[in-house]
Amino acid sequence: MKNPVMVASGTFGFGKEYSDLIDLNMLGAIVTKGTSLEPWEGNPPDRIAETPAGMLNAIGLQNDGVESLITEKIPWLLKFDVPVIVNIVGTTADEYAEVARRLDGVEGVAGIEVNISCPNVKEGGIAFGTDPAMAAEVVAAVRKVTRLPVIPKLSPNVTDIVLMAQACVDAGADAISLINTLLGTAIDAETRTFKLANITGGLSGPAVKPVALRMVWQVVQAVDVPVVGIGGIMTAEDAIEFFLAGAEAIQVGTANFVNPGAALDVIAGVDAYLERHGFAHIREIVGAVRSPVDKGKGD
Ligand SMILES: Cc1cc2nc3c(=O)[nH]c(=O)nc-3n(C[C@H](O)[C@H](O)[C@H](O)COP(=O)(O)O)c2cc1C
């Protein structure tokens, strides 16, 4: 990666959608929309609701399936000099593994991000990402069939995020990314109806940043693989906070909907911050957050 700033899955399509608006070559990496073995239809509308400081979405992981990704979407991206990380989804561990197996060796795929927020149909719909044993099962199944870096993406809808991260690392994860969206809902008081057809949706945007930052920091303390910070990063300052908490890379998600150039602004702003504070490399600030009692000391 040229820089540690990626665009988050589901907020940047497959890159093509943004290619007339920004120079894709400038990005650290593109993480593509969640892709399953067969095409998924997704949920009926309405699928998006704006909230104070964020948005709720219930897209339902609509996608065209892995074949279309391999034959059309990835080849189109080959003309750019940017790593592509494919975000994968499934309803059984075998399904995840089959998507990963098909992606192994495909030119232009640099890594696999495993979205474990999907419901496990075999286990009665419990999300893989809320049970450490099920998360480990998916990660191990994917690990077995690919030489690509495997990056499980954790759901924040758990009591103990560290348990989930450790289970994934023990099962062979090369890195961990977090967070996915926080489960929420929205009601229209005037019409007395839920705003989303699915009733519940995933909250993202600035509202989730403090939760994401806390979870990233906790996971960084607990595992010895790189952590990718995601959640409410709208500006370079937000990104810096995640680096200070120990993230080695970050992803920009909802911000892309507000400003298609958000990730590029973050990249420029991080460089400016490093220069302003006299740091030669981003590594110098990773995990460098200080305790409030040490504030102002040792500068
Ligand atoms: C419309 C929308 C679609 C998303 N689709 C996916 C997806 O397919 N796979 C995934 O792992 N995360 C998906 N996410 C979650 C984001 O990648 C990200 O983890 C989350 O939104 C938090 O980051 P943010 O606050 O910067 O948006 C989606 C988010 C949004 C808003």
Side-chain angles (χ1 to χ4, degrees):
M1 286 163 57
K2 293 176 198 134
N3 63 65
V5 178
M6 314 179 217
V7 282
S9 179
T11 66
F12 207 75
F14 294 88
K16 196 174 187 177
E17 295 84 343
Y18 282 77
S19 60
D20 289 340
L21 300 168
I22 68 161
D23 180 2
L24 301 185
N25 296 306
M26 305 278 287
L27 297 168
I30 293 174
V31 186
T32 54
K33 171 73 190 160
T35 295
S36 50
L37 191 54
E38 303 295 339
W40 284 3
E41 248 186 41
N43 292 324
D46 288 344
R47 313 199 291 186
I48 287 200
E50 193 160 348
T51 66
M55 63 182 274
L56 281 165
N57 90 82
I59 307 299
L61 296 165
Q62 177 185 346
N63 77 94
D64 296 336
V66 70
E67 276 322 305
S68 141
L69 181 83
I70 293 171
T71 56
E72 293 164 33
K73 299 181 174 88
I74 299 290
W76 186 87
L77 280 167
L78 283 177
K79 58 177 173 262
F80 297 96
D81 178 25
V82 60
V84 176
I85 296 173
V86 177
N87 180 287
I88 66 168
V89 295
T91 56
T92 62
D94 289 346
E95 228 176 87
Y96 277 97
E98 183 55 21
V99 179
R101 194 187 63 74
R102 295 203 194 178
L103 291 167
D104 190 53
V106 171
E107 189 188 0
V109 178
I112 296 181
E113 187 178 65
V114 188
N115 176 5
I116 54 174
S117 299
C118 309
N120 176 349
V121 291
K122 275 195 183 161
E123 304 284 339
I126 310 159
F128 285 102
T130 58
D131 180 299
M134 285 202 285
E137 188 191 343
V138 170
V139 174
V142 170
R143 172 75 289 158
K144 229 187 270 171
V145 296
T146 183
R147 288 155 296 174
L148 291 165
V150 174
I151 313 164
K153 176 170 174 181
L154 304 187
S155 164
N157 303 310
V158 295
T159 313
D160 189 344
I161 196 76
V162 166
L163 272 184
M164 300 303 304
Q166 281 169 335
C168 290
V169 172
D170 291 346
D174 297 296
I176 297 283
S177 61
L178 73 159
I179 60 172
N180 210 314
T181 54
L182 275 151
L183 204 56
T185 192
I187 293 173
D188 184 327
E190 286 306 313
T191 60
R192 294 178 290 282
T193 48
F194 284 108
K195 288 190 179 172
L196 298 171
N198 190 56
I199 299 185
T200 60
L203 181 66
S204 63
V208 309
K209 194 186 79 174
V211 177
L213 203 52
R214 181 265 294 177
M215 288 188 163
V216 164
W217 180 76
Q218 285 180 314
V219 169
V220 165
Q221 308 306 305
V223 300
D224 55 7
V225 299
V227 171
V228 181
I230 318 166
I233 298 178
M234 310 299 280
T235 64
E237 192 177 352
D238 295 330
I240 298 286
E241 292 169 23
F242 278 83
F243 292 125
L244 291 171
E248 291 191 31
I250 59 99
Q251 295 179 11
V252 175
T254 297
N256 294 307
F257 297 133
V258 185
N259 165 20
L264 301 191
D265 292 350
V266 167
I267 293 165
V270 168
D271 282 347
Y273 174 93
L274 295 179
E275 201 177 320
R276 186 155 52 85
H277 287 271
F279 295 113
H281 196 278
I282 189 83
R283 272 187 218 105
E284 293 175 36
I285 66 162
V286 170
V289 65
R290 294 179 293 185
S291 153
V293 291
D294 297 332
K295 195 171 154 189
K297 291 184 196 160
D299 278 320

Short mmCIF file of all heavy atoms in Angstrom, two decimals, residues 138-193:
data_model
loop_
_atom_site.label_atom_id
_atom_site.label_comp_id
_atom_site.label_asym_id
_atom_site.label_seq_id
_atom_site.Cartn_x
_atom_site.Cartn_y
_atom_site.Cartn_z
N VAL A 138 -15.30 -19.80 10.61
CA VAL A 138 -15.28 -19.14 9.29
C VAL A 138 -13.84 -18.77 8.92
O VAL A 138 -13.39 -19.03 7.79
CB VAL A 138 -16.16 -17.86 9.30
CG1 VAL A 138 -15.94 -17.05 8.04
CG2 VAL A 138 -17.61 -18.23 9.44
N VAL A 139 -13.13 -18.18 9.86
CA VAL A 139 -11.77 -17.73 9.55
C VAL A 139 -10.88 -18.93 9.21
O VAL A 139 -10.11 -18.88 8.24
CB VAL A 139 -11.18 -16.91 10.73
CG1 VAL A 139 -9.72 -16.57 10.49
CG2 VAL A 139 -12.00 -15.64 10.95
N ALA A 140 -11.01 -20.01 9.98
CA ALA A 140 -10.20 -21.20 9.71
C ALA A 140 -10.53 -21.79 8.34
O ALA A 140 -9.63 -22.20 7.60
CB ALA A 140 -10.42 -22.24 10.81
N ALA A 141 -11.82 -21.80 7.99
CA ALA A 141 -12.24 -22.36 6.70
C ALA A 141 -11.67 -21.53 5.55
O ALA A 141 -11.21 -22.07 4.53
CB ALA A 141 -13.77 -22.41 6.63
N VAL A 142 -11.67 -20.22 5.71
CA VAL A 142 -11.14 -19.33 4.66
C VAL A 142 -9.62 -19.46 4.60
O VAL A 142 -9.03 -19.55 3.52
CB VAL A 142 -11.57 -17.86 4.94
CG1 VAL A 142 -10.84 -16.89 4.03
CG2 VAL A 142 -13.09 -17.72 4.77
N ARG A 143 -9.00 -19.49 5.77
CA ARG A 143 -7.53 -19.59 5.87
C ARG A 143 -6.99 -20.80 5.09
O ARG A 143 -5.96 -20.74 4.42
CB ARG A 143 -7.14 -19.67 7.35
CG ARG A 143 -5.72 -19.97 7.70
CD ARG A 143 -4.79 -18.79 7.47
NE ARG A 143 -4.57 -18.49 6.07
CZ ARG A 143 -4.17 -17.32 5.60
NH1 ARG A 143 -3.97 -16.32 6.39
NH2 ARG A 143 -3.96 -17.14 4.32
N LYS A 144 -7.76 -21.90 5.21
CA LYS A 144 -7.33 -23.17 4.63
C LYS A 144 -7.25 -23.14 3.10
O LYS A 144 -6.48 -23.87 2.50
CB LYS A 144 -8.34 -24.26 5.04
CG LYS A 144 -7.70 -25.52 5.60
CD LYS A 144 -8.73 -26.60 5.82
CE LYS A 144 -9.35 -26.53 7.21
NZ LYS A 144 -10.49 -27.43 7.38
N VAL A 145 -8.05 -22.28 2.46
CA VAL A 145 -8.19 -22.37 1.01
C VAL A 145 -7.54 -21.21 0.26
O VAL A 145 -7.71 -21.10 -0.95
CB VAL A 145 -9.69 -22.43 0.60
CG1 VAL A 145 -10.33 -23.70 1.13
CG2 VAL A 145 -10.45 -21.20 1.07
N THR A 146 -6.82 -20.34 0.95
CA THR A 146 -6.23 -19.21 0.24
C THR A 146 -4.85 -18.86 0.78
O THR A 146 -4.56 -19.05 1.97
CB THR A 146 -7.14 -17.96 0.32
OG1 THR A 146 -6.55 -16.92 -0.45
CG2 THR A 146 -7.34 -17.47 1.75
N ARG A 147 -4.01 -18.34 -0.14
CA ARG A 147 -2.70 -17.83 0.29
C ARG A 147 -2.76 -16.33 0.51
O ARG A 147 -1.81 -15.70 0.93
CB ARG A 147 -1.64 -18.14 -0.79
CG ARG A 147 -1.27 -19.61 -0.88
CD ARG A 147 -0.77 -19.95 -2.24
NE ARG A 147 -1.84 -19.77 -3.23
CZ ARG A 147 -1.68 -19.89 -4.54
NH1 ARG A 147 -0.50 -20.14 -5.05
NH2 ARG A 147 -2.70 -19.73 -5.37
N LEU A 148 -3.90 -15.73 0.17
CA LEU A 148 -4.05 -14.28 0.33
C LEU A 148 -4.15 -13.90 1.82
O LEU A 148 -4.60 -14.72 2.62
CB LEU A 148 -5.32 -13.81 -0.38
CG LEU A 148 -5.31 -13.88 -1.91
CD1 LEU A 148 -6.72 -13.75 -2.46
CD2 LEU A 148 -4.39 -12.81 -2.48
N PRO A 149 -3.77 -12.66 2.16
CA PRO A 149 -3.99 -12.22 3.54
C PRO A 149 -5.48 -12.30 3.89
O PRO A 149 -6.33 -11.90 3.09
CB PRO A 149 -3.52 -10.76 3.53
CG PRO A 149 -2.62 -10.65 2.35
CD PRO A 149 -3.10 -11.65 1.34
N VAL A 150 -5.77 -12.84 5.07
CA VAL A 150 -7.16 -13.00 5.53
C VAL A 150 -7.40 -12.00 6.67
O VAL A 150 -6.72 -12.03 7.69
CB VAL A 150 -7.41 -14.44 6.01
CG1 VAL A 150 -8.80 -14.58 6.63
CG2 VAL A 150 -7.24 -15.42 4.85
N ILE A 151 -8.38 -11.12 6.44
CA ILE A 151 -8.65 -10.03 7.40
C ILE A 151 -10.11 -10.10 7.85
O ILE A 151 -10.99 -9.55 7.19
CB ILE A 151 -8.36 -8.65 6.73
CG1 ILE A 151 -7.02 -8.66 6.01
CG2 ILE A 151 -8.45 -7.53 7.78
CD1 ILE A 151 -6.84 -7.49 5.03
N PRO A 152 -10.40 -10.78 8.95
CA PRO A 152 -11.79 -10.77 9.45
C PRO A 152 -12.19 -9.36 9.87
O PRO A 152 -11.38 -8.62 10.43
CB PRO A 152 -11.74 -11.70 10.67
CG PRO A 152 -10.43 -12.39 10.62
CD PRO A 152 -9.51 -11.55 9.82
N LYS A 153 -13.45 -9.02 9.58
CA LYS A 153 -13.96 -7.70 9.95
C LYS A 153 -14.98 -7.89 11.06
O LYS A 153 -16.02 -8.52 10.86
CB LYS A 153 -14.58 -7.02 8.73
CG LYS A 153 -15.21 -5.69 9.05
CD LYS A 153 -15.56 -4.98 7.78
CE LYS A 153 -16.31 -3.71 8.03
NZ LYS A 153 -16.66 -3.03 6.77
N LEU A 154 -14.68 -7.34 12.22
CA LEU A 154 -15.49 -7.61 13.41
C LEU A 154 -16.74 -6.75 13.49
O LEU A 154 -16.74 -5.58 13.11
CB LEU A 154 -14.65 -7.39 14.67
CG LEU A 154 -13.35 -8.17 14.80
CD1 LEU A 154 -12.74 -7.95 16.19
CD2 LEU A 154 -13.55 -9.66 14.54
N SER A 155 -17.78 -7.37 14.06
CA SER A 155 -19.01 -6.64 14.36
C SER A 155 -18.89 -6.02 15.75
O SER A 155 -18.42 -6.67 16.68
CB SER A 155 -20.18 -7.61 14.33
OG SER A 155 -21.30 -7.03 14.97
N PRO A 156 -19.37 -4.78 15.92
CA PRO A 156 -19.32 -4.19 17.26
C PRO A 156 -20.49 -4.63 18.15
O PRO A 156 -20.55 -4.24 19.32
CB PRO A 156 -19.44 -2.69 16.96
CG PRO A 156 -20.29 -2.63 15.73
CD PRO A 156 -19.94 -3.87 14.93
N ASN A 157 -21.40 -5.44 17.59
CA ASN A 157 -22.61 -5.80 18.34
C ASN A 157 -22.36 -6.98 19.27
O ASN A 157 -23.05 -8.00 19.22
CB ASN A 157 -23.74 -6.09 17.34
CG ASN A 157 -23.99 -4.90 16.44
OD1 ASN A 157 -24.14 -3.78 16.92
ND2 ASN A 157 -23.98 -5.12 15.14
N VAL A 158 -21.33 -6.85 20.08
CA VAL A 158 -20.93 -7.90 21.02
C VAL A 158 -20.58 -7.26 22.36
O VAL A 158 -20.31 -6.06 22.43
CB VAL A 158 -19.70 -8.69 20.51
CG1 VAL A 158 -20.02 -9.44 19.24
CG2 VAL A 158 -18.50 -7.76 20.29
N THR A 159 -20.57 -8.09 23.40
CA THR A 159 -20.21 -7.59 24.73
C THR A 159 -18.69 -7.45 24.86
O THR A 159 -18.19 -6.51 25.44
CB THR A 159 -20.72 -8.56 25.81
OG1 THR A 159 -22.06 -8.88 25.51
CG2 THR A 159 -20.63 -7.95 27.19
N ASP A 160 -17.95 -8.43 24.29
CA ASP A 160 -16.50 -8.43 24.47
C ASP A 160 -15.80 -8.55 23.10
O ASP A 160 -15.64 -9.65 22.57
CB ASP A 160 -16.10 -9.60 25.40
CG ASP A 160 -14.64 -9.52 25.78
OD1 ASP A 160 -13.88 -8.79 25.13
OD2 ASP A 160 -14.26 -10.22 26.75
N ILE A 161 -15.39 -7.43 22.56
CA ILE A 161 -14.78 -7.41 21.23
C ILE A 161 -13.43 -8.13 21.24
O ILE A 161 -13.02 -8.72 20.23
CB ILE A 161 -14.63 -5.95 20.72
CG1 ILE A 161 -14.37 -5.92 19.21
CG2 ILE A 161 -13.55 -5.18 21.46
CD1 ILE A 161 -15.53 -6.18 18.35
N VAL A 162 -12.74 -8.11 22.38
CA VAL A 162 -11.42 -8.73 22.47
C VAL A 162 -11.51 -10.25 22.27
O VAL A 162 -10.68 -10.85 21.58
CB VAL A 162 -10.75 -8.37 23.82
CG1 VAL A 162 -9.55 -9.25 24.11
CG2 VAL A 162 -10.34 -6.90 23.82
N LEU A 163 -12.55 -10.86 22.84
CA LEU A 163 -12.75 -12.31 22.67
C LEU A 163 -12.90 -12.65 21.19
O LEU A 163 -12.34 -13.64 20.71
CB LEU A 163 -14.04 -12.75 23.37
CG LEU A 163 -13.96 -13.15 24.84
CD1 LEU A 163 -15.34 -13.64 25.29
CD2 LEU A 163 -12.91 -14.25 25.01
N MET A 164 -13.64 -11.82 20.46
CA MET A 164 -13.87 -12.07 19.04
C MET A 164 -12.55 -11.94 18.27
O MET A 164 -12.24 -12.76 17.41
CB MET A 164 -14.89 -11.07 18.47
CG MET A 164 -16.25 -11.10 19.11
SD MET A 164 -17.06 -12.71 19.07
CE MET A 164 -17.05 -13.05 17.33
N ALA A 165 -11.79 -10.91 18.59
CA ALA A 165 -10.52 -10.68 17.89
C ALA A 165 -9.55 -11.83 18.15
O ALA A 165 -8.90 -12.34 17.22
CB ALA A 165 -9.92 -9.35 18.34
N GLN A 166 -9.47 -12.24 19.41
CA GLN A 166 -8.53 -13.32 19.75
C GLN A 166 -8.91 -14.63 19.06
O GLN A 166 -8.05 -15.35 18.56
CB GLN A 166 -8.47 -13.50 21.26
CG GLN A 166 -7.61 -12.44 21.91
CD GLN A 166 -7.73 -12.39 23.43
OE1 GLN A 166 -8.77 -12.81 23.98
NE2 GLN A 166 -6.71 -11.87 24.10
N ALA A 167 -10.22 -14.90 19.00
CA ALA A 167 -10.68 -16.13 18.33
C ALA A 167 -10.28 -16.11 16.86
O ALA A 167 -9.85 -17.12 16.30
CB ALA A 167 -12.20 -16.26 18.47
N CYS A 168 -10.40 -14.94 16.24
CA CYS A 168 -10.05 -14.82 14.81
C CYS A 168 -8.55 -14.97 14.59
O CYS A 168 -8.11 -15.62 13.64
CB CYS A 168 -10.52 -13.47 14.26
SG CYS A 168 -12.31 -13.35 14.14
N VAL A 169 -7.75 -14.39 15.47
CA VAL A 169 -6.29 -14.50 15.33
C VAL A 169 -5.84 -15.95 15.55
O VAL A 169 -5.04 -16.48 14.78
CB VAL A 169 -5.58 -13.52 16.30
CG1 VAL A 169 -4.07 -13.77 16.30
CG2 VAL A 169 -5.88 -12.08 15.90
N ASP A 170 -6.42 -16.59 16.56
CA ASP A 170 -6.07 -18.00 16.82
C ASP A 170 -6.44 -18.88 15.62
O ASP A 170 -5.82 -19.92 15.40
CB ASP A 170 -6.79 -18.51 18.08
CG ASP A 170 -6.24 -17.85 19.34
OD1 ASP A 170 -5.16 -17.22 19.27
OD2 ASP A 170 -6.91 -17.96 20.40
N ALA A 171 -7.46 -18.47 14.87
CA ALA A 171 -7.90 -19.27 13.72
C ALA A 171 -7.11 -18.94 12.46
O ALA A 171 -7.38 -19.50 11.40
CB ALA A 171 -9.39 -19.04 13.48
N GLY A 172 -6.15 -18.02 12.57
CA GLY A 172 -5.26 -17.78 11.42
C GLY A 172 -5.39 -16.44 10.74
O GLY A 172 -4.86 -16.26 9.63
N ALA A 173 -6.06 -15.48 11.36
CA ALA A 173 -6.20 -14.15 10.73
C ALA A 173 -4.84 -13.45 10.63
O ALA A 173 -4.02 -13.54 11.54
CB ALA A 173 -7.15 -13.28 11.56
N ASP A 174 -4.60 -12.77 9.49
CA ASP A 174 -3.35 -12.02 9.30
C ASP A 174 -3.46 -10.61 9.83
O ASP A 174 -2.46 -9.96 10.09
CB ASP A 174 -3.02 -11.96 7.81
CG ASP A 174 -2.79 -13.34 7.25
OD1 ASP A 174 -1.82 -13.99 7.68
OD2 ASP A 174 -3.60 -13.79 6.41
N ALA A 175 -4.69 -10.10 9.91
CA ALA A 175 -4.96 -8.77 10.43
C ALA A 175 -6.42 -8.77 10.84
O ALA A 175 -7.15 -9.72 10.54
CB ALA A 175 -4.72 -7.70 9.36
N ILE A 176 -6.83 -7.72 11.55
CA ILE A 176 -8.23 -7.62 11.98
C ILE A 176 -8.72 -6.24 11.57
O ILE A 176 -8.03 -5.24 11.78
CB ILE A 176 -8.33 -7.70 13.53
CG1 ILE A 176 -7.84 -9.05 14.06
CG2 ILE A 176 -9.73 -7.38 14.02
CD1 ILE A 176 -8.81 -10.19 13.89
N SER A 177 -9.91 -6.17 10.98
CA SER A 177 -10.48 -4.84 10.76
C SER A 177 -11.75 -4.70 11.60
O SER A 177 -12.47 -5.65 11.83
CB SER A 177 -10.71 -4.56 9.27
OG SER A 177 -11.60 -5.47 8.72
N LEU A 178 -11.96 -3.48 12.09
CA LEU A 178 -13.15 -3.20 12.88
C LEU A 178 -13.35 -1.68 12.94
O LEU A 178 -12.34 -0.96 12.85
CB LEU A 178 -13.05 -3.81 14.29
CG LEU A 178 -12.11 -3.20 15.34
CD1 LEU A 178 -12.55 -3.62 16.71
CD2 LEU A 178 -10.66 -3.57 15.13
N ILE A 179 -14.61 -1.22 12.99
CA ILE A 179 -15.82 -1.96 13.24
C ILE A 179 -16.75 -1.94 12.01
O ILE A 179 -16.64 -1.05 11.16
CB ILE A 179 -16.63 -1.37 14.44
CG1 ILE A 179 -17.03 0.08 14.18
CG2 ILE A 179 -15.88 -1.53 15.73
CD1 ILE A 179 -17.97 0.67 15.24
N ASN A 180 -17.65 -2.93 11.99
CA ASN A 180 -18.78 -2.86 11.07
C ASN A 180 -19.84 -1.98 11.74
O ASN A 180 -19.58 -1.34 12.76
CB ASN A 180 -19.29 -4.28 10.79
CG ASN A 180 -19.89 -4.40 9.41
OD1 ASN A 180 -20.68 -3.54 9.00
ND2 ASN A 180 -19.55 -5.45 8.70
N THR A 181 -21.04 -1.95 11.21
CA THR A 181 -22.06 -1.03 11.73
C THR A 181 -22.69 -1.53 13.03
O THR A 181 -22.70 -2.72 13.32
CB THR A 181 -23.18 -0.83 10.69
OG1 THR A 181 -23.67 -2.12 10.32
CG2 THR A 181 -22.67 -0.10 9.48
N LEU A 182 -23.22 -0.57 13.80
CA LEU A 182 -23.91 -0.88 15.06
C LEU A 182 -25.41 -1.00 14.80
O LEU A 182 -26.01 -0.14 14.17
CB LEU A 182 -23.68 0.27 16.05
CG LEU A 182 -22.39 0.21 16.85
CD1 LEU A 182 -21.91 1.59 17.22
CD2 LEU A 182 -22.60 -0.62 18.11
N LEU A 183 -26.00 -2.06 15.33
CA LEU A 183 -27.42 -2.32 15.07
C LEU A 183 -28.31 -1.23 15.68
O LEU A 183 -28.16 -0.89 16.85
CB LEU A 183 -27.77 -3.68 15.67
CG LEU A 183 -28.97 -4.40 15.08
CD1 LEU A 183 -28.81 -4.59 13.57
CD2 LEU A 183 -29.13 -5.76 15.76
N GLY A 184 -29.21 -0.70 14.85
CA GLY A 184 -30.12 0.34 15.34
C GLY A 184 -31.44 0.32 14.58
O GLY A 184 -31.67 -0.54 13.72
N THR A 185 -32.31 1.28 14.89
CA THR A 185 -33.54 1.44 14.12
C THR A 185 -33.94 2.91 14.12
O THR A 185 -33.35 3.72 14.85
CB THR A 185 -34.68 0.54 14.65
OG1 THR A 185 -35.74 0.55 13.68
CG2 THR A 185 -35.23 1.02 15.98
N ALA A 186 -34.93 3.25 13.31
CA ALA A 186 -35.43 4.63 13.26
C ALA A 186 -36.93 4.59 13.00
O ALA A 186 -37.43 3.78 12.22
CB ALA A 186 -34.73 5.39 12.14
N ILE A 187 -37.65 5.48 13.68
CA ILE A 187 -39.11 5.52 13.58
C ILE A 187 -39.55 6.92 13.17
O ILE A 187 -39.01 7.91 13.67
CB ILE A 187 -39.75 5.14 14.95
CG1 ILE A 187 -39.45 3.66 15.27
CG2 ILE A 187 -41.25 5.41 14.96
CD1 ILE A 187 -39.88 3.23 16.67
N ASP A 188 -40.49 7.00 12.24
CA ASP A 188 -41.05 8.28 11.83
C ASP A 188 -42.27 8.56 12.72
O ASP A 188 -43.29 7.86 12.63
CB ASP A 188 -41.46 8.20 10.35
CG ASP A 188 -41.96 9.54 9.83
OD1 ASP A 188 -42.59 10.30 10.61
OD2 ASP A 188 -41.74 9.82 8.64
N ALA A 189 -42.16 9.57 13.58
CA ALA A 189 -43.22 9.85 14.55
C ALA A 189 -44.52 10.28 13.87
O ALA A 189 -45.61 9.90 14.30
CB ALA A 189 -42.76 10.93 15.53
N GLU A 190 -44.41 11.05 12.79
CA GLU A 190 -45.61 11.57 12.12
C GLU A 190 -46.44 10.45 11.51
O GLU A 190 -47.66 10.42 11.61
CB GLU A 190 -45.22 12.59 11.04
CG GLU A 190 -44.78 13.93 11.61
CD GLU A 190 -45.81 14.54 12.57
OE1 GLU A 190 -47.00 14.56 12.21
OE2 GLU A 190 -45.42 14.97 13.68
N THR A 191 -45.75 9.52 10.82
CA THR A 191 -46.49 8.43 10.15
C THR A 191 -46.58 7.18 11.03
O THR A 191 -47.22 6.20 10.67
CB THR A 191 -45.81 8.06 8.81
OG1 THR A 191 -44.47 7.63 9.10
CG2 THR A 191 -45.76 9.24 7.86
N ARG A 192 -45.89 7.23 12.16
CA ARG A 192 -45.89 6.12 13.11
C ARG A 192 -45.43 4.80 12.45
O ARG A 192 -46.01 3.74 12.67
CB ARG A 192 -47.26 5.97 13.79
CG ARG A 192 -47.61 7.17 14.67
CD ARG A 192 -48.98 7.07 15.32
NE ARG A 192 -50.07 7.20 14.37
CZ ARG A 192 -50.49 8.37 13.86
NH1 ARG A 192 -49.92 9.51 14.25
NH2 ARG A 192 -51.47 8.42 13.00
N THR A 193 -44.40 4.91 11.61
CA THR A 193 -43.86 3.71 10.96
C THR A 193 -42.34 3.65 11.12
O THR A 193 -41.68 4.68 11.30
CB THR A 193 -44.14 3.72 9.43
OG1 THR A 193 -43.77 5.00 8.93
CG2 THR A 193 -45.57 3.43 9.10
#
